[in-house]
Amino acid sequence: MLIQKPLISIIIPLYNEEKMFHQLTERITNLLDSFEPSTQVVMVNDGSIDQTKYLMEILSAKDPRYKSVFLSRNHGHQLAVSAGLFCADATEAVMIIDGDLQDPPELIADFYEKLKEGYDVIYAIRKNRKEGFLLRSAFWAYYRIQKMLSNYDIPMDVGDFCMISKRVRDIIISMPEESRYLRGMRSWIGFKQYGYEYDRGERQAGQSKYSIGKRIQIGMNGIFNFSKVPIRAMYLLGFVSILISIFYLILLIYLKYTSHNLPDGYITLIFAISFFSGVQLITIGLVGEYVYRTYNQVRQRPLFIIDKVVN
Ligand code: UDP
Ligand code: MG
């Protein structure tokens, strides 16, 4: 147990990272030994089925700067980080890193300096990536589509690697939404944010713990939690469909009376199909609008966040 609360907490989610563990913790221990502000590490075991949990227990018993949090089962990266945020004792700042050393923990000094300059969020922008061409292209396209669709300005090519102030940490843990996209929530909160460019390295050992399914899930969170464009697109499609049907009707009536032989019932049939498709799309969009509003209400994000009040 730490008697005095640390200034900074470093959160590391770990899922079957036994191959990474020694390398990771050795590097972080070296860093902590030379880093002045008092710092705690919060390791979160996300239901690992390998030796990770025992390694964590041994380390926490040896070094009180390492706090270990054990989740009851695998909850996924975003929830593991959320649990870490919840358990962090820091009084000034929280840093979030991956457990595979793709995010250099040594940037803590630079991030903390920025925090001291008055930034509440310092997020890391990936200048380049070490993943294969296909995955890299998919990430590239995803972040651009997300930016296009998003109602808020979520920066591109950023992950969860960041440092946030204590007050931003407090706001994030007060947001009870269950499908979490932390990098989106972080930028939604506002305040002064700083993008820090860095080279994202390769995973140092073991395999990526993100399956395709998990990546699609988090990608969908990133779009649907921050955008009403998909619902609005339904209205638009509906209106376009109705407009086309009306033009089509006029065109066919014109053709019928200018000597073209059209089979009986053809005009009515085509018109009815496209017109009522449009009507249906608009009605679904309407229902969607209510669903979206209900969703906004039930996820209970704070209505506003006050930076400061004078007098
Ligand atoms: N992770 C986790 N739970 C999961 C999947 C991943 O806690 O269900 C952790 C993992 O141990 C690592 C971090 O999240 O510390 C990022 O995962 P990974 O490096 O596998 O993702 P990638 O870099 O391939 O996107
Ligand atoms: Mg990784």
Side-chain angles (χ1 to χ4, degrees):
M1 280 286 288
L2 287 162
I3 313 285
Q4 236 186 351
K5 289 209 164 181
L7 291 177
I8 307 175
S9 297
I10 304 178
I11 293 171
I12 318 177
L14 297 171
Y15 179 50
N16 296 339
E17 298 287 8
E18 61 182 11
K19 290 203 182 106
M20 274 304 311
F21 198 83
H22 290 296
Q23 199 182 344
L24 170 74
T25 51
E26 247 176 58
R27 193 156 142 194
I28 289 187
T29 306
N30 283 337
L31 175 67
L32 296 189
D33 290 344
S34 61
F35 186 60
E36 180 93 37
S38 66
T39 303
Q40 159 197 61
V41 180
V42 181
M43 303 178 288
V44 182
N45 173 39
D46 187 17
S48 301
I49 45 172
D50 66 355
Q51 299 296 312
T52 305
K53 45 186 180 292
Y54 307 113
L55 295 169
M56 285 168 63
E57 259 163 17
I58 294 167
L59 182 61
S60 282
K62 241 180 20 199
D63 188 337
R65 292 173 298 182
Y66 285 88
K67 182 171 186 169
S68 285
V69 178
F70 301 89
L71 297 187
S72 60
R73 61 171 170 78
N74 180 246
H75 282 70
H77 177 217
Q78 296 290 300
L79 293 182
V81 174
S82 301
L85 286 172
F86 184 77
C87 295
D89 298 303
T91 54
E92 272 195 16
V94 174
M95 183 170 169
I96 299 170
I97 64 172
D98 280 355
D100 56 1
L101 292 172
Q102 283 192 286
D103 310 325
E106 291 75 15
L107 290 185
I108 192 170
D110 287 9
F111 285 9
Y112 191 57
E113 211 178 284
K114 281 284 163 201
L115 194 100
K116 286 288 178 199
E117 278 175 28
Y119 289 96
D120 273 85
V121 173
I122 298 98
Y123 57 85
I125 304 174
R126 299 160 177 179
K127 260 198 306 193
N128 52 29
R129 292 172 164 273
K130 293 280 153 45
E131 284 92 356
F133 175 74
L134 258 179
L135 206 54
R136 249 181 18 236
S137 316
F139 284 135
W140 186 90
Y142 170 75
Y143 284 116
R144 269 120 203 110
I145 293 172
Q146 188 206 46
K147 189 175 179 69
M148 239 164 48
L149 297 183
S150 175
N151 303 340
Y152 314 97
D153 195 17
I154 302 178
M156 296 187 289
D157 305 316
V158 305
D160 292 325
F161 182 28
C162 68
M163 181 178 277
I164 55 178
S165 62
K166 164 85 163 56
R167 64 173 177 173
V168 170
R169 171 264 187 193
D170 291 347
I171 295 167
I172 291 182
I173 61 174
S174 78
M175 291 167 77
E177 56 201 83
E178 67 96 36
S179 65
R180 296 176 89 73
Y181 186 68
L182 288 165
R183 60 200 84 162
M185 293 161 74
R186 187 178 71 198
S187 50
W188 177 87
I189 286 171
F191 297 129
K192 261 176 87 180
Q193 308 217 350
Y194 184 85
Y196 186 104
E197 289 199 345
Y198 80 117
D199 289 308
R200 183 154 162 94
E202 263 173 285
R203 170 176 268 278
Q204 297 293 305
Q207 298 278 319
S208 170
K209 305 301 179 305
Y210 256 96
S211 58
I212 294 284
K214 277 182 183 170
R215 282 196 206 284
I216 293 176
Q217 180 59 54
I218 187 176
M220 288 181 31
N221 288 356
I223 290 179
F224 293 112
N225 291 10
F226 296 92
S227 175
K228 51 181 168 231
V229 175
I231 286 172
R232 292 283 151 83
M234 212 116 69
Y235 284 131
L236 193 70
L237 269 175
F239 279 118
V240 170
S241 178
I242 286 180
L243 274 183
I244 290 177
S245 73
I246 291 171
F247 276 122
Y248 203 61
L249 180 70
I250 296 169
L251 178 73
L252 289 181
I253 291 176
Y254 170 76
L255 290 179
K256 188 172 172 81
Y257 291 105
T258 51
S259 81
H260 289 75
N261 280 332
L262 291 174
D264 283 343
Y266 183 74
I267 299 180
T268 357
L269 194 65
I270 296 292
F271 172 72
I273 289 175
S274 46
F275 183 81
F276 287 107
S277 307
V279 171
Q280 277 180 10
L281 277 169
I282 291 178
T283 348
I284 295 172
L286 264 174
V287 176
E289 186 72 35
Y290 281 108
V291 173
Y292 183 74
R293 282 162 195 247
T294 314
Y295 166 61
N296 264 341
Q297 184 69 36
V298 295
R299 75 177 157 185
Q300 292 179 1
R301 280 188 188 165
L303 296 180
F304 45 79
I305 295 158
I306 295 177
D307 183 5
K308 62 178 178 184
V309 179
V310 177
N311 284 346

